[in-house]
Amino acid sequence: MTFIEPNKQKFRINLFAAFFAVLFLAEAVFSIIAYSQSVSLDHLIAKQQEAVEEIRTKNASLKNQVYSLLDLEDADLLVSKLGLVKERRPDYLARN
């Protein structure tokens, strides 16, 4: 009686194909995760840029307010508004 042995290389080819199929699926999953994180990062960067622009606008507004308060052209108006009196000969400048 003759025994027929199965081809052993056929099993190795299937193992080889299964290995590459699993590798391909893993690569696909990791690519999707990386793309998702990239898109999330892009959205986060866009939100941060909007926040920075808003802060810059507020900063410019505050600077304008400070410069308008410190403007020497309106010093007389500020003095009268605060109820200050201009002294002609202050005592702290007199020589003893």
Side-chain angles (χ1 to χ4, degrees):
M1 183 180 291
T2 308
F3 291 102
I4 300 174
E5 292 185 24
N7 189 356
K8 293 182 180 179
Q9 282 191 351
K10 186 175 181 184
F11 180 71
R12 288 182 188 221
I13 290 175
N14 287 339
L15 184 62
F16 188 69
F19 174 74
F20 278 111
V22 169
L23 187 65
F24 178 75
L25 288 174
E27 182 180 349
V29 168
F30 288 131
S31 296
I32 291 170
I33 291 171
Y35 177 75
S36 175
Q37 289 180 349
S38 174
V39 170
S40 296
L41 185 61
D42 286 342
H43 287 293
L44 181 65
I45 289 172
K47 286 181 184 178
Q48 293 298 325
Q49 286 176 342
E50 289 174 6
V52 166
E53 287 301 319
E54 184 178 334
I55 290 171
R56 283 183 181 166
T57 305
K58 287 181 182 179
N59 188 25
S61 175
L62 289 174
K63 281 184 180 180
N64 285 338
Q65 289 177 358
V66 168
Y67 292 150
S68 67
L69 288 174
L70 298 177
D71 190 17
L72 293 179
E73 292 178 5
D74 297 332
D76 293 333
L77 179 64
L78 181 63
V79 166
S80 64
K81 187 177 180 181
L82 293 175
L84 301 176
V85 177
K86 185 176 182 181
E87 291 188 23
R88 297 286 176 202
R89 300 184 76 196
D91 293 336
Y92 57 84
L93 292 179
R95 290 186 181 186
N96 290 334

